[in-house]
Amino acid sequence: MRWLERGREIHSEIVNLGLDRSLVLMNTVLTMYIKCRSLDEAGEFFAAMASRDLKSWMFIIAANAQQGRPERALALFRSLLEERDPTLQPDEVIFASVLNACSTKKWSDDGRAIHRIIPPRLEATAVIGTALVDFYSNCGDLANAKAAFARIVAKDVAAWNAIIGACIQHRLYEEALEIFYRMNVEGCSLPNHRTFVALLEACTESPSLGAAGRKLYERIVASGYELGLVLGTGIINMFAKLGSLDRARDVFARMPIKDLVSWTAIIAAHTRSGARVEARELYWMMALQGLEPDEVTYISILSSCAHAGMVDEAWSYFVSMSEDFGVEPREEHYVCVIDLLGRAGRLRDAEELVMKTSKLLGAVGWTSVLGACRTHGDLHRANQVVDEAVKLEPENSGAYLLLAHTSYNNH
């Protein structure tokens, strides 16, 4: 806010000196309001500008798109199209910005309409082509995302990253890796850290790509990439999923800077591998570094405990989150612990926890316990659970009774 106040003062001084006729200076004032994230003031200033050039339009449309105001970005874009000045024809940056604003299914029809008016010469550029890949991928249309990528004449690393990311977004992990190999063969662009972060995610999500993930790591090391926060944490998560705890430890040790996310990743890696003592030591070491765990940290740790079947350890972390760090458990934390207790056959403990949190969880907790009763064949408890769930959601009584009946038939 201090910089915004100073910017307003300078803007006022510019007007007092009669310098507000300079379009270059006015565009600078416009970008000042945008960079200070005062988008309403930027909009008012833009509307009051005596004259505007293409840069003025580009700044305000891009700002609204980037700051989550797609409707306003589209309205401004339509206003630009109505301008009769031949110098105000949308360029690739403006088209890319407005496509970015449309990158959800809600605005997909608008995005497709914009695509239809993009000149072919712009459609073939890396900037527009990449924007189209992202737009169609986010709207669930991978076929058109691939077609947009194919039309790009000179593919840069951003374009390659976009199509790799599109395949990963649609869970086509092997295809994402194949495109990466194509990128290497065609040799037009070298991968960057964003490329490797995306591919590490693919290798983490697909167990069949473990060997490919290890080769990626070797290439990252050979290329001399610094193990920054995002890249290093991605590698730790991959090795944890592959069960290579020693390599995850090595990567963590080599990271020059560690944040809460990277600490959470290495703790979860140890928990997932059953190294509970080391995980607990890291947990407290993290706190000694001044990094207190948050809600996301505990979701990750509790999920890892669930994966390893470590009930007592999960309960210990669950108690610690509020008693030691003042983090109030949310629905996700309770559900994770209840599910773990249920899978371990500790149905009474699970039921008692649901009773204490029924106002927060509603029928979700009872549904989890009912599933556990079904797994362990506790039909008497299942009937009691159905009664409690129906009290909370009488409109779904048929579904709960059906689940209990299924449990009875299966046993």
Side-chain angles (χ1 to χ4, degrees), residues 4 11 38 84 181-182 198 229 250 262 379:
L4 178 58
H11 176 199
S38 184
R84 297 180 181 277
Y181 296 145
R182 265 183 58 202
L229 293 172
D250 177 63
S262 52
L379 305 181

Side-chain angles (χ1 to χ4, degrees), residues 215-231:
K215 288 181 180 179
L216 276 176
Y217 173 60
E218 291 170 3
R219 176 160 177 182
I220 291 167
V221 172
S223 300
Y225 281 98
E226 183 181 76
L227 296 179
L229 293 172
V230 177
L231 185 58

Side-chain angles (χ1 to χ4, degrees), residues 12-139:
S12 180
E13 190 66 20
I14 289 170
V15 174
N16 290 337
L17 292 172
L19 300 175
D20 52 336
R21 295 178 183 178
S22 167
L23 183 54
V24 173
L25 199 51
M26 291 298 95
N27 279 339
T28 304
V29 173
L30 177 62
T31 58
M32 179 275 295
Y33 283 120
I34 290 169
K35 288 181 179 179
C36 289
R37 302 191 72 80
S38 184
L39 205 50
D40 289 337
E41 283 182 276
E44 291 170 6
F45 178 79
F46 176 82
M49 288 174 71
S51 62
R52 310 180 190 101
D53 62 5
L54 196 60
K55 284 186 177 180
S56 314
W57 288 96
M58 179 189 71
F59 292 148
I60 196 66
I61 290 172
N64 279 276
Q66 291 164 7
Q67 295 185 34
R69 297 189 180 183
E71 192 167 5
R72 182 61 182 150
L74 280 165
L76 286 162
F77 178 74
R78 293 187 185 107
S79 296
L80 173 60
L81 294 180
E82 292 171 1
E83 292 285 332
R84 297 180 181 277
D85 188 339
T87 67
L88 296 179
Q89 296 300 311
D91 62 5
E92 59 183 17
V93 176
I94 291 176
F95 276 121
S97 295
V98 77
L99 284 169
N100 176 54
C102 296
S103 287
T104 62
K105 288 186 177 179
K106 180 180 179 180
W107 304 103
S108 62
D109 289 343
D110 296 276
R112 291 174 192 274
I114 290 164
H115 183 192
R116 286 193 289 270
I117 66 171
I118 296 175
R121 62 178 179 80
L122 291 181
E123 190 181 23
T125 64
V127 171
I128 295 292
T130 301
L132 285 167
V133 171
D134 288 335
F135 162 70
Y136 281 115
S137 177
N138 290 331
C139 293

Side-chain angles (χ1 to χ4, degrees), residues 188-314:
C188 298
S189 301
L190 291 174
N192 59 16
H193 77 282
R194 292 180 182 274
T195 317
F196 289 117
V197 168
L199 291 168
L200 287 167
E201 180 188 345
C203 294
T204 301
E205 293 297 327
S206 177
S208 64
L209 296 180
R214 292 184 178 91
K215 288 181 180 179
L216 276 176
Y217 173 60
E218 291 170 3
R219 176 160 177 182
I220 291 167
V221 172
S223 300
Y225 281 98
E226 183 181 76
L227 296 179
L229 293 172
V230 177
L231 185 58
T233 303
I235 297 169
I236 290 170
N237 287 330
M238 181 192 71
F239 281 134
K241 197 78 173 281
L242 296 175
S244 301
L245 183 58
D246 288 341
R247 301 195 78 171
R249 285 173 178 155
D250 177 63
V251 171
F252 183 75
R254 292 175 55 198
M255 291 176 66
I257 301 174
K258 303 171 180 70
D259 63 357
L260 183 60
V261 179
S262 52
W263 276 97
T264 298
I266 195 63
I267 294 168
H270 281 76
T271 306
R272 188 183 184 90
S273 299
R276 62 186 70 191
V277 175
E278 294 91 337
R280 177 66 65 171
E281 289 174 353
L282 287 164
Y283 175 72
W284 290 110
M285 281 174 62
M286 176 180 69
L288 290 171
Q289 296 288 326
L291 295 169
E292 294 192 355
D294 61 10
E295 295 169 348
V296 177
T297 304
Y298 285 108
I299 290 173
S300 178
I301 293 174
L302 291 172
S303 298
S304 297
C305 288
H307 175 82
M310 295 162 55
V311 183
D312 293 335
E313 200 69 12

